[in-house]
């Protein structure tokens, strides 16, 4: 009855479960110096399997959430990682084995956990209303202690959220301190209900709107402009009958279009404008903004299925399609019900981020993981950090050298009021050969010159998806200052 992880590609080398919680006071500085203006905490989150999966197989978006924090204080950086004690985690800890089966398929769970939360808290971390929330789109946020990462409890916004889940990609507005968030399949598996919520700076729900989705699909991310919300629907769809037979939670439908719901931030369901586009998909949005009657949405778009491990409903083979930064433009004047589609850069890229102070506004810079010839691929297949300049079209890149990968870059402004893009990128570097990580600080305006500081971790930060920067003043006051 020993614990033995299966020999699957996902667990080989860098992907081997770490299963260790670390506490390191003062990371070793091996290059450069830590800018004194960096005063606050970088939080990130990713999956790390607690016990071997029941099915003997795994996909990279499953597994128990591990939160990582890097606290910057007077040039010192302290590191800590903790698993989130979700209901699922605690039940499995007691049983000393996995009790939850195939990804999000409750019909494959151990009978002893019927009705228990399946949430893994493995995708993102956000700050709202003096609460640090760990997110997975299949369940409600889990509040954790921002200093110790000790798990507190699930957070339903004081009972105001009646949806069964909330997205892992809410939008934090640094100007209003609102959190804009949503739930898809909001009344349970395979339901077509979509709920949009706005929480104020104190974590009170101040706006709520429900509508029906074109199909019960995945909505991983969305975008907001200063005035509008854009929700994309891509044909990765849930089928209850497939679930009951033990099948995958999503299937790709190569015959179905994409849809886009566009509505005012505080709009009503009757105000939704529907657009329809080709069979494409995307995980992640970079930003969106208004230009007169037109809304621009920049996203890492795949000309097909973005998830190899979610099979086609018609049995057709998976067709690889690299993510490419693309602009979809929605015309609200009523001239077209199809968004215009324009490639921004052909270099494959993912995990797009921005200077969050420009969220929803005309903006110049975007940051992402991208391909660079010769750079070794990281967890999600690309080896370099890139900055796109929308004004000039120039893509500047930096790659950490041989045998290294990179994780999603997080932008930190140099100071409140600094111009757009004046600040740093915080990036986890996977040192594959050494099986450990570095945290590097890049000058966002001089990426190509390489890190201004490199902090050496003696341990491996396996894979994290997303995270956020919480300035020290924000932790104290509960407010961001743009
Ligand atoms: C994604 C990630 C998820 C998930 C659904 O990147 C989609 C896409 C980390 O969890 O549950
Ligand atoms: Fe994501």
């Amino acid at each position: 009855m020993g614990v033995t992880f299966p020999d699957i590609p996902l667990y080989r080398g860098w992907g081997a479960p770490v299963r260790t919680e670390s506490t390191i006071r003062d990371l070793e500085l091996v290059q450069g110096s830590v800018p004194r203006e960096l005063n606050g905490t970088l939080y990130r989150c990713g999956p790390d399997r607690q016990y071997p999966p029941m099915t003997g197989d795994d996909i990279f978006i499953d597994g128990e959430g591990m939160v990582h924090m890097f606290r910057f204080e007077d040039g010192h950086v302290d590191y800590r990682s903790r698993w989130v004690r979700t209901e699922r985690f605690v039940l499995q800890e007691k049983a000393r084995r996995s009790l939850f089966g195939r990804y999000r398929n409750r019909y494959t769970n151990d009978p002893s956990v019927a009705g228990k939360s399946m949430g893994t808290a493995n995708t993102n971390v956000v700050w709202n209303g003096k609460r640090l929330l760990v997110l997975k789109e299949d369940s409600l946020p889990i509040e954790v202690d921002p200093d110790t990462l000790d798990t507190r409890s699930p957070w339903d916004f004081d009972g105001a959220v009646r949806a069964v889940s909330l997205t892992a990609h809410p939008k934090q507005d640094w100007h209003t301190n609102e959190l804009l968030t949503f739930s898809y399949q909001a009344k349970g598996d395979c339901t077509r209900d979509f709920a949009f919520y706005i929480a104020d700076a104190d974590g009170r729900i101040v706006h709520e709107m429900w509508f029906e989705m074109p199909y019960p699909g995945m909505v991983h991310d969305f975008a907001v402009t200063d005035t509008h919300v854009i929700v994309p629907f891509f044909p990765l769809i849930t089928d209850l009958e497939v679930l009951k037979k033990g099948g995958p939670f999503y299937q790709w439908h190569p015959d179905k279009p994409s849809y886009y719901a566009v509505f005012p931030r505080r709009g009503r369901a009757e105000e939704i404008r529907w657009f329809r586009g080709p069979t494409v998909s995307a995980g992640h949005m970079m930003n969106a903004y208004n230009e007169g009657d037109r809304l621009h949405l920049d996203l890492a778009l795949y000309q097909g299925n973005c998830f190899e491990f979610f099979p086609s409903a018609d049995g057709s083979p998976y067709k690889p399609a690299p993510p490419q930064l693309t602009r979809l433009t929605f015309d609200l004047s009523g001239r077209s019900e199809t968004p215009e589609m324009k490639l921004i850069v052909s270099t494959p890229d993912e995990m797009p981020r921005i200077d969050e102070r420009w969220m929803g506004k005309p903006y110049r810079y975007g940051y992402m993981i991208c391909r660079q010839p010769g750079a070794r691929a990281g967890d999600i297949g690309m080896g370099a950090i890139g900055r796109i300049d929308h004004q000039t079209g120039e893509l500047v890149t930096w790659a950490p050298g041989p045998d290294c990968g990179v994780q999603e870059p997080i932008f930190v402004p140099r100071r409140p009021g600094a111009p757009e893009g004046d600040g740093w990128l915080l990036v986890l570097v996977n040192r594959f050969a050494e099986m450990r990580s570095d945290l590097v600080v890049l000058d966002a305006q001089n990426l190509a010159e390489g890190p201004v500081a490199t902090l050496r971790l003696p341990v491996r930060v396996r894979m994290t998806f997303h995270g956020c920067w919480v300035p020290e003043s924000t932790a104290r006051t509960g407010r961001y200052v743009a």
Side-chain angles (χ1 to χ4, degrees):
M1 280 298 284
V3 170
T4 308
F5 282 83
D7 180 27
I8 56 173
L10 188 59
Y11 295 165
R12 285 180 204 142
W14 190 262
V18 173
R19 306 178 78 224
T20 307
E21 300 179 313
S22 298
T23 308
I24 302 173
R25 188 146 175 97
D26 279 304
L27 290 176
E28 193 183 338
L29 179 74
V30 293
Q31 177 265 321
S33 61
V34 179
R36 288 303 167 108
E37 295 100 323
L38 280 172
N39 193 12
T41 310
L42 170 70
Y43 295 100
R44 295 194 57 76
C45 184
D48 202 320
R49 270 283 173 186
Q50 181 188 16
Y51 283 106
M54 284 171 76
T55 59
D57 202 356
D58 203 355
I59 59 176
F60 83 109
I61 62 175
D62 207 353
E64 286 65 31
M66 184 81 86
V67 181
H68 306 261
M69 68 182 270
F70 297 87
R71 177 150 292 172
F72 288 72
E73 195 175 39
D74 299 327
H76 298 270
V77 184
D78 302 325
Y79 170 69
R80 185 183 279 256
S81 63
R82 292 291 183 274
W83 258 320
V84 184
R85 268 57 184 181
T86 58
E87 186 170 33
R88 159 168 154 154
F89 183 98
V90 172
L91 288 162
Q92 295 184 152
E93 187 174 50
K94 251 184 226 127
R96 293 187 183 275
R97 67 182 182 91
S98 283
L99 297 170
F100 295 77
R102 194 166 184 174
Y103 183 71
R104 292 188 65 172
N105 187 333
R106 64 187 70 252
Y107 302 95
T108 62
N109 292 348
D110 188 276
S112 68
V113 298
K116 304 294 186 190
S117 171
M118 299 174 65
T120 48
N122 73 8
T123 315
N124 200 358
V125 186
V126 293
W127 178 264
N128 171 253
K130 289 207 167 184
R131 287 184 181 84
L132 189 68
L133 304 174
V134 188
L135 309 174
K136 173 75 182 186
E137 64 189 51
D138 66 357
S139 48
L140 291 175
I142 308 276
E143 184 186 350
V144 301
D145 185 300
D147 298 321
T148 64
L149 300 182
D150 289 348
T151 301
R152 289 178 178 161
S153 59
W155 173 238
D156 63 2
F157 293 79
D158 240 350
V161 169
R162 284 167 297 135
V164 299
S165 57
L166 287 174
T167 179
H169 284 283
K171 300 294 168 247
Q172 169 80 57
D173 189 320
W174 283 44
H175 298 268
T176 64
N177 276 286
E178 290 173 330
L179 191 75
L180 295 91
T181 187
F182 70 86
S183 176
Y184 70 92
Q185 304 193 20
K187 291 184 180 169
D189 295 346
C190 208
T191 59
R192 282 171 61 175
D193 305 273
F194 187 98
F196 171 68
Y197 293 99
I198 301 178
D200 72 10
D202 298 312
R204 278 186 300 258
I205 298 295
V206 293
H207 176 75
E208 175 177 7
M209 174 218 195
W210 289 72
F211 65 90
E212 198 161 279
M213 307 191 283
Y215 35 62
M218 172 200 283
V219 187
H220 183 61
D221 194 0
F222 77 140
V224 300
T225 76
D226 270 348
T227 57
H228 284 75
V229 178
I230 307 170
V231 185
F233 301 93
F234 304 121
L236 277 158
I237 300 172
T238 308
D239 180 335
L240 205 54
E241 294 313 310
V242 170
L243 288 187
K244 286 180 182 165
K245 288 187 218 128
F249 194 76
Y250 298 106
Q251 290 176 294
W252 174 250
H253 287 254
D255 56 328
K256 290 198 167 60
S258 54
Y259 293 94
Y260 308 84
V262 180
F263 51 91
R265 275 200 187 198
R266 305 258 173 163
R268 290 167 290 115
E270 305 80 65
E271 294 175 84
I272 297 175
R273 301 284 296 272
W274 284 100
F275 293 81
R276 176 209 272 257
T279 307
V280 293
S281 70
H284 301 115
M285 320 284 126
M286 179 174 271
N287 200 7
Y289 66 92
N290 306 351
E291 187 185 336
D293 270 349
R294 286 143 52 88
L295 301 188
H296 302 297
L297 166 63
D298 299 340
L299 74 177
L301 193 73
Y302 298 68
Q303 299 291 333
N305 180 3
C306 58
F307 290 115
E308 186 169 4
F309 45 76
F310 292 131
S312 300
D314 64 2
S316 59
Y318 168 75
K319 291 195 204 80
Q324 291 171 308
L325 190 63
T326 303
R327 174 161 295 183
L328 301 184
T329 297
F330 303 89
D331 189 341
L332 293 184
S333 73
R335 270 189 287 272
S336 173
E337 284 168 12
T338 305
E340 271 172 47
M341 198 175 277
K342 190 170 148 251
L343 189 66
I344 298 174
V345 269
S346 57
T347 308
D349 56 84
E350 248 294 4
M351 311 309 255
R353 299 291 303 221
I354 52 166
D355 179 336
E356 305 284 335
R357 299 170 300 163
W358 267 259
M359 185 188 77
K361 303 177 187 308
Y363 72 114
R364 182 165 177 182
Y365 301 115
Y367 311 97
M368 58 228 181
I369 297 177
C370 64
R371 187 168 297 164
Q372 190 190 61
R376 181 159 167 188
D379 299 313
I380 61 158
M382 290 158 229
I385 297 294
R387 183 190 78 166
I388 180 73
D389 180 340
H390 290 296
Q391 211 165 81
T392 63
E394 188 191 16
L395 177 70
V396 182
T397 63
W398 170 78
D403 270 331
C404 296
V406 290
Q407 304 197 21
E408 177 200 57
I410 299 288
F411 179 87
V412 182
R414 190 174 302 272
R415 67 182 72 84
E420 184 193 355
D422 181 13
W424 294 279
L425 294 177
L426 304 183
V427 177
L428 276 165
V429 173
N430 309 338
R431 303 277 180 207
F432 293 125
E434 299 169 56
M435 286 293 273
R436 57 163 203 87
S437 300
D438 281 336
L439 179 69
V440 301
V441 182
L442 296 161
D443 179 340
Q445 293 174 306
N446 294 289
L447 258 196
E449 286 170 21
V452 301
T454 301
L455 294 144
R456 182 188 196 279
L457 277 78
V459 293
R460 173 166 48 106
V461 179
R462 186 180 179 267
M463 165 178 55
T464 61
F465 286 107
H466 308 291
C468 69
W469 171 254
V470 180
E472 188 275 334
S473 62
T474 303
R476 243 184 314 111
T477 63
R479 304 286 194 273
Y480 280 90
V481 180

